Amino acid sequence: MREVVIAGVGSTPFGRLAGVPIEQVAVRAAAAALADAGIERERIGAVYLGNFISGPLNGKEVLAGLVADQLGLPNVPCTKVEGACASGGIAFRHAWLAVASGLCDAALVVGVETMTHAPTSATTAALNCAMDNENDGPSGLTFPGLFGLAWRQHAQRHGTTREQVSAVVRKNKGNGLRNPLAQMGAELTDEQIAGSASICDPLQLYDCCPTSDGAAAVVVVAKGLSTGLPRLPIDVLAAIQTRGSARIAGHPDLCSFDATVSAARRAYETAGVSPADVDVCELHDCFSIAEVIDSEDLGLVPRGHGGGWAAEGRTAVGGDVAINPSGGLLAKGHPVGATGIGQLYEVVHQLRGTHPNQVAGATVGMTHNLGGTGVACTVSLLRRSDA
């Protein structure tokens, strides 16, 4: 397998992009990534596009081909990739595989979703397609319900408090104020968080990521062919995908997601690094308690201490390990198919030293994208090529 680098990145803001067709949102991010990479479009040998619910919400599929056509790319394979909330991360892994295996020398990855135009009922129904509706559907349980249960178990086992989980919200919303692409940055107090609308006890409104539109894109290139690029190439050390249970009852423990634990372990082994080497991580905080659990599953925080570390400032920029300095899903937003690629965009800028909320001296970065009830997970590790 050949070594692979990220040569270019691009992104739209995440938020409300009213009136812009979904393929145009994707084209904006993709064109920015191609310009950032500084390579001719004729060099792109494959396109992978992460998207989850464009069919039910927009009546549009075959998005990869639509986007490639509007970009004027050559007649190359164009594949739409679906893996619920992990769609973007999976699309990236496919592009990495295509380049690493020698099938092509450069590939474009795009993630896109537009959701804010649809009624809440339609969006909820579409997102619930990420569940095993044959088995879990009759219970009426939605994703806030799942993570509400996870929070209760984590609190019972580890003593995790409302104040500790609120620290995650305050950190990420505050980080969002420093990110011009973020949808909902804010300076919040514990009282405001605890007093916001109840969604699914103990989850309050500010514990939940917002509905979002947006797109992000990256260009991956074989490292041996990356000389002369205008930007610092970022090495892809690992791009791992794993499977967890598609059913809520299939999880032996709601305080941990097996797919994340397995993906992280394989990523560290493949990259030859340890959790202590990670300077910055963009992880899947679809709900505040998800960051607590994910940080522990990734080995970045000791088991049971995710909430405590957040409250102590150890996961803030300048702490032990910076988690979600972009604002994460809680503040940046969660346009589902775009999220995994948006995380890569953020980490690439961190490793280049060009992020608006920069982690000083960041050398190794991680992204984590989790789909459905934990049925699909990707973990990627990146490093500055001059490190």
Side-chain angles (χ1 to χ4, degrees):
M1 300 287 276
R2 298 187 296 182
E3 292 183 294
V4 177
V5 299
I6 295 177
V9 294
S11 182
T12 70
F14 284 11
R16 187 178 296 273
L17 303 176
V20 185
I22 188 168
E23 62 270 29
Q24 277 298 308
V25 177
V27 165
R28 291 178 185 179
L34 289 164
D36 189 58
I39 66 173
E40 301 81 8
R41 298 188 181 196
E42 292 73 22
R43 291 181 61 186
I44 299 297
V47 176
Y48 295 92
L49 185 143
N51 176 264
F52 178 39
I53 47 176
S54 179
L57 292 191
N58 296 281
K60 293 180 180 179
E61 299 290 359
V62 299
L63 284 177
L66 287 172
V67 171
D69 181 63
Q70 294 190 23
L71 286 168
L73 296 180
N75 183 13
V76 298
C78 298
T79 306
K80 177 186 165 185
V81 178
E82 185 278 311
C85 301
S87 297
I90 299 171
F92 174 72
R93 182 172 183 270
H94 285 342
W96 171 81
L97 283 168
V99 174
S101 65
L103 289 176
C104 62
D105 292 331
L108 172 67
V109 196
V110 190
V112 66
E113 208 77 67
T114 56
M115 308 163 66
T116 64
H117 65 284
T120 300
S121 58
T123 304
T124 300
L127 291 173
N128 277 353
C129 291
M131 280 192 171
D132 179 351
N133 283 302
E134 191 75 23
N135 292 288
D136 290 337
S139 72
L141 195 64
T142 60
F143 288 104
L146 168 63
F147 282 93
L149 288 173
W151 182 339
R152 288 195 175 281
Q153 286 201 9
H154 202 277
Q156 184 178 33
R157 184 175 305 168
H158 301 295
T160 302
T161 65
R162 167 74 262 183
E163 290 73 21
Q164 289 175 338
V165 180
S166 291
V168 172
V169 180
R170 287 191 287 104
K171 170 180 68 71
N172 291 0
K173 293 290 190 181
N175 285 340
L177 289 175
R178 300 169 181 85
N179 185 354
L181 299 183
Q183 179 176 357
M184 284 189 169
E187 291 290 348
L188 297 174
T189 65
D190 285 354
E191 292 73 23
Q192 287 173 311
I193 296 166
S196 62
S198 178
I199 301 302
C200 189
D201 189 52
L203 289 170
Q204 307 293 120
L205 179 63
Y206 287 128
D207 292 305
C208 309
C209 67
T211 298
S212 313
D213 307 327
V218 303
V219 176
V220 292
V221 178
K223 187 169 184 177
L225 304 174
S226 63
T227 56
L229 294 176
R231 312 292 183 200
L232 175 70
I234 301 300
D235 292 339
V236 181
L237 301 182
I240 305 298
Q241 178 183 350
T242 54
R243 180 193 69 82
S245 174
R247 297 176 298 107
I248 295 173
H251 291 286
D253 183 358
L254 287 181
C255 291
S256 177
F257 291 95
D258 292 345
T260 297
V261 174
S262 176
R265 182 181 67 250
R266 296 183 197 180
Y268 292 131
E269 292 172 353
T270 300
V273 302
S274 72
D277 296 314
V278 176
D279 301 302
V280 57
C281 177
E282 291 286 337
L283 57 73
H284 203 92
D285 61 321
C286 47
F287 299 94
S288 52
I289 190 63
E291 175 168 314
V292 172
I293 293 170
D294 296 341
S295 64
E296 297 171 6
D297 282 346
L298 292 168
L300 301 175
V301 175
R303 182 66 64 186
H305 292 270
W309 273 41
E312 294 164 12
R314 299 178 70 173
T315 56
V317 173
D320 294 58
V321 55
I323 294 179
N324 288 329
S326 71
L329 284 64
L330 288 176
K332 189 182 177 186
H334 184 26
V336 179
T339 292
I341 309 301
Q343 293 172 331
L344 291 161
Y345 172 93
E346 302 290 345
V347 170
V348 165
H349 275 291
Q350 287 285 357
L351 300 184
R352 287 177 177 175
T354 56
H355 198 277
N357 192 23
Q358 183 65 45
V359 176
T363 299
V364 175
M366 169 183 272
T367 64
H368 163 258
N369 206 192
L370 188 67
T373 58
V375 67
C377 180
T378 61
V379 170
S380 296
L381 282 166
L382 312 178
R383 181 176 61 197
R384 285 179 62 101
S385 58
D386 59 357

